[in-house]
Amino acid sequence: MSNMNTAGIKLSIVGLGYVGLPLAVEFGRKRSVVGFDINQRRIDELKAGNDFTLETTPEELAAAGGLFYTTNIEDLRACNCYIVTVPTPIDEHKRPDLTPLIRASETVGRILKKGDIVIYESTVYPGCTEEDCVPVLEKSSGLKFNQDFYCGYSPERINPGDKEHRVTTIMKVTSGSTPEVRDLVDALYNEIVTVGTHKAESIKVAEAAKVIENTQRDLNIALINELAIIFNKMGIDTEAVLKAAGSKWNFLPFRPGLVGGHCIGVDPYYLTHKAQSIGYHPEIILAGRRLNDNMGAYVVAQLVKAMTKKRIQVEGAKVLVMGLTFKENCPDLRNTRVVDIVAELKDYNCEVDVYDPWVSAEEAEHEYNITPVAAPKAGAYDGIILAVAHRQFKEMGAATIRELGKSNAVLYDLKYVLSSDASDLRL
């Protein structure tokens, strides 16, 4: 290990999703990289120069001349450094689901050799790398941690759909299981990250730093959501209040809404799970999570109340939900909370059409049993919920969106896509 430097690293990226692929592409511009994924369809797609996540363009894929795609574990044997970028979701009970991480560790462990380094990027709770992943690596490989092989942790900071903040332009937190490994991991990432890195004191510090980044955002949004509920009850326009408050230089520009995605709606549960396992019940973090998780039900309750005031029969009403992804202008459906709105509407026996020009209908059906419509029907809807601020919806404008509904339809602008006087309801 003491003799290894970045020139001696033979790199592989394990998992080529929203996190792994952009990383592999950037490294593939600089050096030879083996990109590994268990999904043959994904590998075939990338070999053909296409990325369904839209995180990389065909031109960027073509420019990564050193990148080799494979589903064959044997192709990893020539590597000595493995960056694991698999997802870390939660299960139906809001508990961390480490299955992808453990399976990836088992896979890497089977081809692990003396002197190799395994770097994790997946978001986890503090201690997960050394307490959960390392034992799997040891068992699968028969090798001893920090004697035969080493680990690093450098949490991903990918922001899906963001073309400004990319892998190379977001400061990277790095760490290693020994001081020498920490320096090597840091030097490796500095090959591609142009804005620099932050070397954390330990793997646990790096893990904790990542998980609180999104916990902080979650709590801030929860506060704004609660304020929106209060202001709605008082008949005050929330956006107008936030704009006024935002005139002060240190007021944080958060906005209310649904909190989903692979990070903000998930990561706090990793931290609270760990906290509870050591005997501490986190009050504030879980309160924020409860409030944010209930926003879908709140939105539908507001819509139903407005429809009732207009004497629209709620049961059997046709409602259009515009947008299904967890955020605007990207096809990412992971942990989207728009599904809460759809489920709640169906509990009222409404007929729901979901329209989203960004999503794969096949993926929506597979993940949520929702079949999006190819196009909404003009004049067909009793209620319309603008759930995601896709640019296509902004370009449609209020008049065109209104034409999709019946003459007395209720239009709920959840994301401030339209002007304050263009909709019947706003969050």
Side-chain angles (χ1 to χ4, degrees), residues 286-306:
L286 285 175
R289 278 281 76 234
R290 281 193 299 273
L291 197 145
N292 284 341
D293 278 346
N294 287 327
M295 288 307 291
Y298 173 78
V299 167
V300 173
Q302 291 293 98
L303 178 73
V304 166
K305 186 184 295 184

Side-chain angles (χ1 to χ4, degrees), residues 111-306:
I111 46 89
L112 202 61
K113 306 174 298 299
K114 284 195 174 184
D116 287 359
I117 302 172
V118 184
I119 304 168
Y120 290 92
E121 286 215 2
S122 308
T123 302
V124 291
Y125 44 75
C128 183
T129 298
E130 291 152 301
E131 296 165 13
D132 296 276
C133 300
V134 164
V136 174
L137 292 171
E138 288 185 322
K139 182 178 179 181
S140 295
S141 67
L143 300 176
K144 186 72 174 173
F145 177 52
N146 273 349
Q147 179 179 311
D148 299 321
F149 73 92
Y150 307 86
C151 283
Y153 184 78
S154 181
E156 60 88 3
R157 281 176 164 172
I158 292 294
N159 188 25
D162 190 336
K163 300 308 177 186
E164 179 183 353
H165 302 98
R166 311 293 299 275
V167 172
T168 58
T169 59
I170 301 173
M171 181 172 280
K172 205 85 166 69
V173 174
T174 61
S175 64
S177 56
T178 70
E180 295 79 16
V181 171
R182 181 179 68 168
D183 291 342
L184 185 59
V185 170
D186 190 71
L188 176 64
Y189 280 104
N190 267 298
E191 289 183 354
I192 62 168
V193 179
T194 60
V195 292
T197 57
H198 176 92
K199 273 196 282 190
E201 286 78 359
S202 68
I203 287 176
K204 285 182 180 178
V205 167
E207 290 169 328
K210 168 58 179 177
V211 81
I212 70 164
E213 289 174 19
N214 291 316
T215 301
Q216 183 186 68
R217 285 183 58 77
D218 191 41
L219 283 170
N220 275 306
I221 297 170
L223 171 63
I224 301 300
N225 276 336
E226 188 161 66
L227 293 174
I229 292 170
I230 293 169
F231 295 145
N232 282 345
K233 288 182 176 293
M234 298 174 69
I236 302 173
D237 182 74
T238 302
E239 188 189 28
V241 174
L242 294 176
K243 282 181 176 179
S247 64
K248 188 166 187 261
W249 76 92
N250 60 353
F251 186 82
L252 301 177
F254 288 95
R255 289 293 182 268
L258 307 176
V259 184
H262 68 299
C263 283
I264 302 178
V266 172
D267 295 354
Y269 285 120
Y270 274 74
L271 184 56
T272 57
H273 168 82
K274 184 65 176 180
Q276 288 167 333
S277 75
I278 59 173
Y280 179 78
H281 181 75
E283 302 283 353
I284 295 174
I285 299 171
L286 285 175
R289 278 281 76 234
R290 281 193 299 273
L291 197 145
N292 284 341
D293 278 346
N294 287 327
M295 288 307 291
Y298 173 78
V299 167
V300 173
Q302 291 293 98
L303 178 73
V304 166
K305 186 184 295 184

Side-chain angles (χ1 to χ4, degrees), residues 18 53-55 158-164 327-331:
Y18 282 87
T53 70
L54 304 181
E55 290 303 301
I158 292 294
N159 188 25
D162 190 336
K163 300 308 177 186
E164 179 183 353
K327 65 179 293 188
E328 66 276 4
N329 304 324
C330 81

